[in-house]
Amino acid sequence: VRFPPPAPPASSLNREPPRAKAGTSDDAQRDGSDRAAAQIEADAANTLLAQESATIVSGALQDVPVTIVRTAAADDEDVEAVRWLLNAAGAADSGTITLTERFTDQASADELSSIVANTLPAGAQLSVQERSPGTHAGESLAAVLFSGGAAEGPKAQDEERALVLETLRSAQFIEYSGAIAPAGALVIVDGPSRGGDFGAHVLGDFARALASGGSTVLASQNVDPEPLGGVSVVGGVDRETGRIQSVLAAARAESAG
């Protein structure tokens, strides 16, 4: 005699099928795939933009001498790309200066201020309200790096420019090679976001003080940079969009005078 199989427990008759738990590995894989796909699209757009970048900036800075001031944190590729685009825009290369780590180091601040005060070009003035080393260094370098325009000529004599730059280089605050000529615009190239550290304040003060003397752009890898009074601030300089914007910002600032 065969008996029928036992009936399932009553509690299992109305049981719902198990549901996937939130945050499972499947979700993580989907998120990772979405991010990867978005990155691929962004890279493709960046590559396409790079192919057209020279056309976009062509003639924007025709015959305008532009000096690049790069920080110790700036990426070589970013600096080279910005210079290439400046050349494509018709700009003249008036030199490249590197700010060393000592320039933004709190331990070196008093020495930097002392050098700036002792090498100040004739006619230049240091702020008495803003005494930060970045502000005073920017005021000094604005006097020797910027041209006063076609009608006025350089703001400082060649000997004064050489004294300021060579003294800062001897003290290992800056590095440069070759001649540094008077510029119609300056582009500062920085690296990733600095947060709110001492170096960030020095660089911000420095950029603002430079801008008081001429057209100044601060381009960094920070995707959301904070505005600085008088300075054309550009983020994402490690992407083609940011590099193009840096050149166009320099052109707008130089045109505005």
Side-chain angles (χ1 to χ4, degrees), residues 68-72 96-100 103 173-176:
I68 289 180
V69 179
R70 60 169 297 172
T71 69
T96 299
I97 297 172
T98 299
L99 307 181
T100 67
F103 193 93
F173 283 107
I174 66 171
E175 296 173 354
Y176 64 93

Side-chain angles (χ1 to χ4, degrees), residues 70-225:
R70 60 169 297 172
T71 69
D75 188 276
D76 290 343
E77 183 180 346
D78 296 342
V79 176
E80 293 167 3
V82 170
R83 175 57 76 189
W84 186 88
L85 277 177
L86 288 169
N87 293 341
D93 186 347
S94 50
T96 299
I97 297 172
T98 299
L99 307 181
T100 67
E101 292 182 354
R102 275 174 56 79
F103 193 93
T104 54
D105 187 354
Q106 189 168 5
S108 307
D110 290 341
E111 183 182 355
L112 177 59
S113 295
S114 177
I115 289 175
V116 167
N118 291 323
T119 59
L120 194 66
Q125 294 183 342
L126 299 179
S127 173
V128 294
Q129 286 82 22
E130 299 289 340
R131 298 177 180 270
S132 74
T135 297
H136 284 181
E139 290 169 338
S140 173
L141 287 175
V144 301
L145 294 181
F146 280 117
S147 168
E152 301 176 30
K155 292 185 176 183
Q157 300 297 318
D158 291 344
E159 296 79 8
E160 294 174 320
R161 182 179 308 104
L163 174 63
V164 172
L165 295 178
E166 289 174 5
T167 304
L168 288 172
R169 180 168 63 180
S170 296
Q172 300 180 338
F173 283 107
I174 66 171
E175 296 173 354
Y176 64 93
S177 60
I180 302 296
L186 296 181
V187 178
I188 304 171
V189 181
D190 193 22
S193 174
R194 295 173 175 268
D197 64 6
F198 182 81
H201 291 296
V202 170
L203 187 63
D205 292 342
F206 175 69
R208 276 192 295 264
L210 278 178
S212 68
S215 305
T216 302
V217 176
L218 174 57
S220 71
Q221 292 182 359
N222 189 353
V223 296
D224 188 23

Side-chain angles (χ1 to χ4, degrees), residues 12-109:
S12 68
L13 293 177
N14 299 319
R15 185 180 297 168
E16 295 181 358
R19 296 180 180 178
K21 296 181 180 179
T24 62
S25 59
D26 288 343
D27 294 331
Q29 288 178 349
R30 279 194 296 271
D31 291 343
S33 297
D34 291 343
R35 285 193 296 269
Q39 186 61 52
I40 290 172
E41 290 180 4
D43 291 342
N46 194 63
T47 300
L48 180 61
L49 192 58
Q51 295 171 354
E52 302 297 329
S53 59
T55 302
I56 294 172
V57 304
S58 179
L61 285 163
Q62 192 65 45
D63 299 326
V64 176
V66 180
T67 297
I68 289 180
V69 179
R70 60 169 297 172
T71 69
D75 188 276
D76 290 343
E77 183 180 346
D78 296 342
V79 176
E80 293 167 3
V82 170
R83 175 57 76 189
W84 186 88
L85 277 177
L86 288 169
N87 293 341
D93 186 347
S94 50
T96 299
I97 297 172
T98 299
L99 307 181
T100 67
E101 292 182 354
R102 275 174 56 79
F103 193 93
T104 54
D105 187 354
Q106 189 168 5
S108 307

